[in-house]
Amino acid sequence: MADDPPRRQPTLEVVAERAGVSRSVASRVLNNAPHVSRGKRDAVERAVRELGYVPNPTARALATRQTGAAALVVSGEDPSIFADPFFAQVIVGASAALEEADLHLMLCLAATDRGRRRVEELLRGKGADGVMLMALRENDPLVRTAEEAEMPVVFGGRPVGSAPRWYVDVDNTGGAREATEYLLSRGRTRVAVICGRLDTEVGRARYRGYQDAMLAAGLEPFPPNEGDFTEPSGAAVMAALLLQHPDLDAVFAANDNMATGALRTLREAGRRVPDDVAVVGFDDLAAARMADPPLTTVHQPIAALGRETARMLAALINGETPTPLILPTHLVRRASA
């Protein structure tokens, strides 16, 4: 009687098929990586026992090797966005936190289709140990890719219409409400608004804060006059507001860049600030202190936003389970209001 042929060792693919998961999920379970649901982990462990699977030591060593890098991905349209004072501070904060965690910082811009594909490949592959996503717009395909990613992902600012598990954000609604309430407390009653992009959550949240304060005071909010967070857009929207509402006596701009543009337009139109029109911004960038007149604005902890986003990502990479974080804001009073 011939000997039975030797039984073939089951492969990782067979384990994954038995467990009803992808090969990469099975690999993460076997390497005790975080961010796998309890149900999938149990299914893989059950399949391993049933099949008698024994991991290949060489393959395990390759699978568990980390890149030592974390990526900051910005869904913007212009590479110079990283030089914007806001993102420059975010990068400073993130770099410091990642250095403490012995992780290198990679910067990625998801502007073109090619850029987005590269980021999607990064999220699906092993090009980094984790990813931070910022400046996402409504219906951005990166949100869904991030939700399906098998590596840690932290959102710096919440995306529109999504509730990610891990994020660090700023109290945008509360800050905008405080700015508008301050203008109203100074006796202003015709308070216009220059919104940020309304296909972003930050743009919508700051308009909501303005709207809440106006309605609470029994005043009709102005419609959302949308800029794109740049100084030229603030100047252009301010010019349109003066034509449509020449009797306005205050304006809340959803960031300092647009507020600076509004100041320029008001000066060119012969409107005195704050005597004729009071102006409040949002961010507390260096430009706010140097504006003419110095800009009253909502301070948000920008460097802390980058730092805490990176710290949360490092915690996830290390297998910890952090909780979402909302950073506070406060009003800084200067001469413009």
Side-chain angles (χ1 to χ4, degrees):
M1 181 176 179
D3 293 335
D4 291 334
R7 183 170 175 264
R8 291 187 63 185
Q9 171 68 27
T11 64
L12 182 60
E13 287 77 7
V14 173
V15 171
E17 183 177 357
R18 172 71 67 91
V21 301
S22 68
R23 184 185 186 282
S24 57
V25 168
S27 176
R28 289 183 65 79
V29 171
L30 292 172
N31 291 300
N32 200 31
H35 319 304
V36 179
S37 70
R38 185 72 260 172
K40 290 181 179 179
R41 190 177 295 276
D42 290 342
V44 171
E45 291 172 351
R46 185 166 55 251
V48 167
R49 291 194 299 271
E50 292 172 355
L51 295 169
Y53 175 76
V54 178
N56 181 306
T58 302
R60 168 170 282 190
L62 289 172
T64 58
R65 186 174 62 198
Q66 294 184 323
T67 67
L72 173 61
V73 176
V74 176
S75 188
E77 298 174 346
D78 184 351
S80 66
I81 194 170
F82 289 119
D84 180 277
F86 175 87
F87 284 105
Q89 289 190 47
V90 168
I91 292 169
V92 167
S95 297
L98 292 177
E99 185 175 351
E100 293 173 0
D102 292 324
L103 290 167
H104 298 293
L105 176 62
M106 300 167 52
L107 299 178
C108 303
L109 187 68
T112 63
D113 289 342
R114 181 181 180 186
R116 279 187 289 273
R117 284 196 299 271
R118 290 177 62 188
V119 173
E120 289 172 357
E121 290 169 2
L122 181 71
L123 286 164
R124 292 179 178 135
K126 287 288 184 181
D129 295 333
V131 173
M132 298 168 282
L133 290 176
M134 298 193 74
L136 298 176
R137 296 180 185 170
E138 188 174 17
N139 300 321
D140 194 315
L142 288 180
V143 175
R144 181 177 179 84
T145 305
E147 290 171 347
E148 297 173 350
E150 291 162 6
M151 67 168 60
V153 178
V154 176
F155 289 80
R158 286 163 288 186
V160 173
S162 178
R165 186 173 179 184
W166 292 292
Y167 64 84
V168 179
D169 207 348
V170 169
D171 185 11
N172 292 297
T173 301
R177 184 188 305 115
E178 183 181 12
T180 309
E181 287 172 347
Y182 178 71
L183 289 168
L184 296 171
S185 74
R186 306 291 287 179
R188 311 294 169 144
T189 58
R190 297 178 298 282
V191 183
V193 60
I194 301 176
C195 297
R197 296 187 62 125
L198 294 177
D199 60 355
T200 65
E201 179 57 28
V202 64
R204 294 185 182 188
R206 292 180 188 176
Y207 182 71
R208 284 197 301 270
Y210 158 82
Q211 194 175 39
D212 290 348
M214 293 290 284
L215 291 172
L219 298 172
E220 183 68 25
F222 279 56
N225 301 281
E226 187 175 352
D228 63 2
F229 294 113
T230 65
E231 191 269 351
S233 74
V237 173
M238 188 72 251
L241 281 169
L242 288 175
L243 285 175
Q244 298 164 12
H245 308 280
D247 61 343
L248 64 84
D249 59 10
V251 61
F252 165 62
N255 80 338
D256 287 350
N257 291 333
M258 295 191 297
T260 301
L263 289 175
R264 176 163 59 85
T265 294
L266 289 167
R267 187 166 53 249
E268 292 170 353
R271 300 293 184 96
R272 296 170 300 164
V273 176
D275 300 44
D276 300 327
V277 181
V279 179
V280 176
F282 199 118
D283 281 340
D284 197 21
L285 301 174
R289 297 189 295 274
M290 296 183 290
D292 181 22
L295 184 65
T296 295
T297 186
V298 177
H299 174 87
Q300 65 163 323
I302 303 171
L305 174 64
R307 182 173 63 252
E308 296 302 327
T309 302
R311 283 179 176 171
M312 185 175 291
L313 182 64
L316 289 168
I317 291 171
N318 290 333
E320 301 170 28
T321 307
T323 56
L325 180 62
I326 302 290
L327 299 174
T329 62
H330 66 268
L331 189 70
V332 178
R333 296 170 179 83
R334 298 193 179 99
S336 70

